[in-house]
Amino acid sequence: MIDFEISAEDKVKVEEAHEIAQNLFRPISRYYDEHEHEDPMDLIDTMWKMRGKGFLTGLGITGALMVEELCWGDAGLYLASPGPGLGGAAVFAAGTQEQWGRFLARYGEGKPKWGAMAMTEPGCGSDTSAIQATAVRDGDYWVLNGEKIFVTMGRRALELSEGIIVVWATVDKSAGRAGMKSFVVEAGTPGMKVEKQEKKLGIKASDTVTVVFDNCRIPFNNILGKAEIKTKTEGFKGAMATFDVTRPLVAAQALGVTRAALDMLRDELTKRGIKVRYDVPRSKQTAIERDFMEMESNWRAAHLLVIRAMWQLQGGTPNALEASMAKAKAGRAATLITQRAVELMGPLGYSRKLLFEKFMRDAKINDIFEGTGQINTLVVARRLLGYSRDQLK
Amino acid sequence: MIGFSPSEEQNMIVNTVKQFATDVMRKKFRDCDEAGEIPAEIIDGAWELGLVASCIPEQLGGAGWEHSALTGTLLAEELAWGDLSMAMHILAPSLAILPIVEMGTEEQKKKYLPALCGNKFTAATAAFIEPLYDFDPNEFSTTAKRNSGYTLNGQKCYVPLAAGADFILVYAGEGEERQCFIVEKGTKGLEIGEREQNMGIKALATYELNLKDCKVPAENRLGGKKGSDFNRLANLSRVALASMAVGVARASFEFSRDYAKERHAFGEPIASRQAIAFMLADMAIEVDAARLLNWEAAWKLDRNEDATREACLAKSYADNMVMLVTDYGVQVMGGHGYVRDNPVELWFRNARGFTTFTGMAIV
Ligand SMILES: Cc1cc2nc3c(=O)[nH]c(=O)nc-3n(C[C@H](O)[C@H](O)[C@H](O)COP(=O)(O)OP(=O)(O)OC[C@H]3O[C@@H](n4cnc5c(N)ncnc54)[C@H](O)[C@@H]3O)c2cc1C
């Protein structure tokens, strides 16, 4: 059935997420934007306690809706909230049940913990097949070497808590993509060091660090998926399966920031006595009405694309095409809509007194991480055309 | 429960229409565009699918199906994918049928609906648009004044099949309200103008209307004393047109995608270059985006909720989308897109009409 009705249970969860966003995130939103590398300890404790009581976003439609709400509050603080994060999603998508227990149980007990995922390196981002980090088998161990950059939540996962990081490395450079595997490294493992912490344009409450592996030894069974190199693309499939989940989730983050800008814009317009008249013909619309409708419809369309990708995921339908469609659309829409909101609000938009300029800075990352807009468009194009990587580069 | 798959029944309808669009409409649409005419077999063939009269109550000769705007958007997309002129022609009787079924008085239903349940296509239509660049359906310049009955004055345009219809549902301002009036063929003061000539939808016969002190009896006001719900009719029309825009855009996307894989330049299919491939990806994303927005609006209308915002957003989004996508369709094909041997220029011309098309289809 075609149906847009959210179940009553989900409504409660989404409302709860909205309240957290409104009451816990928004009041400290500007502070942690201006104090980049501080840890919001009160919020971290509160979010961890709520997690213990069952406030989990999860990976389906409900999860996407909740993430949108939380990022409506503050995208950086959402990322800074403790939990398994992208590392957890990777373990969940590619790990065994034993690994779920060993690596994920910690997120339901003890002190706050974070999880991280490290793919990007100084020499490669979009071209993930070019990664240089290596994993060499040594008896019951793997030995990791290499440098990972731009690791979201790397510092909090590895230095502030006993979290995990999922690291992509190659077990055989000559095997190309097929040699790529992912490994779980626990905080405190010797040979792993957190280095440079990035200063960023936005999502400043989220930490982004370099993690260096220097003969870092981890147990053999910390590999996610099989150790053998079987088919040409097998290793990479793990990463792709993760993307099916994480791309719509990151798209949902984008939608949250976007809606925050739209809501605030509507409020400011209302203060000036302007109400968007949806049903007037184009020839009679004001420029603001025309822009607003374009912005709102783009946000909503992206929202529905995200929900559709999640609905497929829940139903076990392959969604790689639709997940990338949603991410490409949402990343671009977020970028353009938040920029337009700053423009429309003039001096109020550009000023740091209000949050419009922050929304614009926070939104931009969504068109970059978890596959840039171009990379997601490329995925969509290849799938539509039935082309391989070699046929469409 | 959120879901995105049509029901079994909806799939059946969609498949039937798809088949018809592929086997019949697509075989003739270029000829029709050039000739400015649609052969009666095509229209009667579509009529036999029973899409239009299905919502008429059984005792009046219809199938008595429950009306669903959502199902309507699904089938309108397929018809428009086949051809927009034909789709509008085939669905034109709905412009009169649906408002009467939903909002007409018992007498109006009995008087006008049985004639529209025959074995052959019977024209019926509505007059909505007015020939002004700043035409505003919130303030029709066509007026209805109450006396013993109603006196209608004003000008309309883009009225599909006006010359062949036994009656026309005319939208007019009645004081502060917007109401519909049933004007029968031959009523004094109703003048049907020449057939219009447009940039696109060339196969669809549309006309200008002049209403000069055109008097209709009081019982011809749609819904009688109670009147009709203009907003709902406008919204049902918005989702119909938005779904047609999706159908036209999808046609252009599919055609140019297939072409791009065949056409070689610099030793490779043009689709293997990002400049082309990315246009195609954007087309596919935008088509889906517009469809989902429109489904949500139609779904809300089926729940009898006010969906003005959703329907306006969906229509406006689809209006922009269809222009972008059909433009890309031509661009992907280069010079071969510009010549009339290929269909993308036709879809491009049709697409430009959607910002103008209001009230020209309803589901
Ligand atoms: C704040 C932040 C957090 C991040 N978090 C993480 C994380 O947690 N884990 C992680 O592994 N990574 C993370 N990243 C890295 C992020 O995923 C990469 O930055 C991103 O994938 C792009 O890679 P790049 O920066 O090397 O750009 P490049 O790959 O160098 O790309 C540069 C430009 O070229 C374009 N381009 C590249 N290849 C193609 C192609 N084939 N066709 C068309 N265009 C192309 C790109 O779209 C882009 O516009 C993070 C980045 C930031 C900024």
Side-chain angles (χ1 to χ4, degrees), chain A residues 117 119-120 125-126 150 152 200 365 368-369 372 374 378, chain B residues 274:
Chain A
M117 202 275 293
M119 174 84 88
T120 309
S126 302
F150 296 168
T152 297
K200 305 187 297 291
I365 190 58
I368 297 173
F369 62 13
T372 61
Q374 289 91 333
L378 193 57
Chain B
Q274 285 192 356

Side-chain angles (χ1 to χ4, degrees), chain A residues 158-175:
Chain A
L158 305 176
E159 289 195 334
L160 200 66
S161 74
E162 291 171 359
I164 58 158
I165 182 168
V166 171
V167 182
W168 287 84
T170 172
V171 294
D172 179 359
K173 272 190 192 153
S174 66

Side-chain angles (χ1 to χ4, degrees), chain A residues 44-73:
Chain A
I44 288 170
D45 284 335
T46 311
M47 292 304 286
W48 187 251
K49 282 196 194 109
M50 298 209 52
R51 197 182 161 79
K53 287 188 200 136
F55 182 78
L56 301 168
T57 49
L59 302 174
I61 295 175
T62 323
L65 294 170
M66 290 168 78
V67 167
E68 184 175 325
E69 293 306 323
L70 292 172
C71 290
W72 177 92

Side-chain angles (χ1 to χ4, degrees), chain B residues 73-100:
Chain B
T73 64
L74 297 174
L75 73 89
E77 177 182 335
E78 296 306 325
L79 286 174
W81 177 90
D83 181 62
L84 185 61
S85 292
M86 292 181 193
M88 284 181 161
H89 188 134
I90 290 163
L91 294 179
S94 296
L95 288 168
I97 292 173
L98 253 181
I100 294 177

